Amino acid sequence: MTRNNQGTGRKPDTITRLTRTQIQDLCRRIHAATGGDLPSAGSRRLGPHQSIRLVLASLRHNLEQELLAELFGISQPTVSRVLSAWTPLIAGALEENIPTADDLDPDTRLIVDGTLVPCWAWRDKPELHPGKHHTTGVNLQVACTLAGRLAWASDPLPGRVHDARALSESGLLEGPGETTTHDPGSSSAPHIADKGYVGMGLITPVKKLPGLPLSEADKNFNRAIDQIRWRIEQVIAHLKTWKTLKTRYRRPIDALPDTITAILGIIFTYTL
């Protein structure tokens, strides 16, 4: 029987959904990256392993700090210090495993979409408010393979930035020119996206013009794209099983990039 539901080498931890072996590997990576110079936050009451579990619990469930304090038997201020100190360490230790746009095979077609990572409405950050979502957050561009495997995610941009601009600034499209005339089922074609990316040289659905019906050929084309695009929606839904990316981010906005990097690092290192 395991203690405190912390998992075994193979069985995932109840709270973090990583195995004990994976958490121990993360401990070793952080120790190597810091040269053993670990933060003092949480060291007396928790130690490295439990400090990392606390951060993973926060990332996975987006729990209030008071609840984390009760779960781990420490004070709320200590929880805050542990999150501030250890989240960047996790991000830094795993960042090299996160593919960048330059790491992707330019001949591999991907399915692309954007998603909003919601956060608190900061009075001095009006750029976080996108009109269509009716909430504040950051824009994250996500790409997956045709088989539905997460392949890449962009750096976060303010929520006000439109998907097309966010993708353009991400570097993913820097390469050979693309065209929308390819068959969506072909193996050598540009990336696939929704109507929000029309005009960027991607394969996108045909827009209906005012007062004019779509032709049967256009309808068939759009159906073919829809039969492929659902995979990126599934990938984003799976990404947002990390509740910090789905429910309103609770910590200071300046810490959100490291938080996203930490989550992506865990996914690409341990769960894909």
Side-chain angles (χ1 to χ4, degrees):
M1 180 179 296
T2 59
R3 297 177 59 190
N4 300 326
N5 296 319
Q6 294 183 31
T8 64
R10 294 183 179 180
K11 182 179 178 181
D13 180 303
T14 303
I15 295 176
T16 68
R17 301 183 192 172
L18 295 184
T19 65
R20 180 183 291 271
T21 299
Q22 290 170 331
I23 296 176
Q24 289 173 342
D25 177 73
L26 181 52
C27 285
R28 287 191 291 268
R29 288 173 183 264
I30 292 174
H31 191 276
T34 61
D37 185 17
L38 300 176
S40 58
S43 59
R44 185 170 62 89
R45 294 293 303 274
L46 296 178
H49 188 275
Q50 285 292 83
S51 294
I52 290 172
R53 283 190 74 235
L54 187 152
V55 175
L56 294 176
S58 175
L59 298 177
R60 176 65 80 173
H61 302 288
N62 200 23
L63 299 175
E64 294 180 359
Q65 292 186 10
E66 290 80 2
L67 179 54
L68 287 168
E70 184 173 342
L71 286 173
F72 285 84
I74 55 177
S75 67
Q76 181 274 322
T78 300
V79 169
S80 180
R81 288 193 293 270
V82 169
L83 293 176
S84 296
W86 285 87
T87 302
L89 293 183
I90 294 174
L94 302 180
E95 187 173 14
E96 65 180 6
N97 298 326
I98 304 173
T100 66
D102 292 336
D103 295 327
L104 301 175
D105 182 351
D107 295 324
T108 297
R109 176 200 285 160
L110 302 172
I111 314 169
V112 181
D113 203 358
T115 187
L116 187 80
V117 176
C119 67
W120 283 345
W122 297 89
R123 184 175 299 176
D124 61 341
K125 300 286 185 182
E127 68 274 14
L128 295 175
H129 198 294
K132 69 175 184 178
H133 289 287
H134 307 292
T135 189
T136 49
V138 297
N139 183 311
L140 196 67
Q141 297 295 298
V142 182
C144 73
T145 65
L146 296 183
R149 182 182 178 88
L150 177 65
W152 169 86
S154 70
D155 292 333
L157 289 174
R160 182 176 291 179
V161 177
H162 189 273
D163 280 341
R165 179 185 161 193
L167 185 62
S168 178
E169 294 183 6
S170 72
L172 183 68
L173 302 184
E174 294 178 3
E178 307 209 351
T179 174
T180 59
T181 59
H182 291 277
D183 171 12
S186 165
S187 61
S188 58
H191 304 318
I192 297 173
D194 64 22
K195 294 178 182 178
Y197 300 88
V198 168
M200 298 187 68
L202 307 180
I203 295 180
T204 59
V206 178
K207 278 190 172 182
K208 181 179 180 297
L209 297 176
L212 295 176
L214 287 176
S215 67
E216 282 303 312
D218 288 341
K219 291 179 181 178
N220 291 335
F221 181 82
N222 288 357
R223 278 193 290 268
I225 293 178
D226 290 341
Q227 289 171 0
I228 297 172
R229 277 202 66 261
W230 67 269
R231 293 180 177 87
I232 187 63
E233 297 173 0
Q234 188 177 58
V235 165
I236 291 174
H238 187 265
L239 188 65
K240 290 196 171 186
T241 59
W242 293 83
K243 298 301 183 184
T244 296
L245 301 181
K246 182 177 182 179
T247 56
R248 198 176 299 276
Y249 182 67
R250 300 178 182 277
R251 298 183 58 228
I253 187 64
D254 292 342
L256 183 51
D258 275 341
T259 299
I260 293 173
T261 299
I263 292 172
L264 291 173
I266 293 164
I267 291 172
F268 280 106
T269 305
Y270 300 117
T271 66
L272 279 184

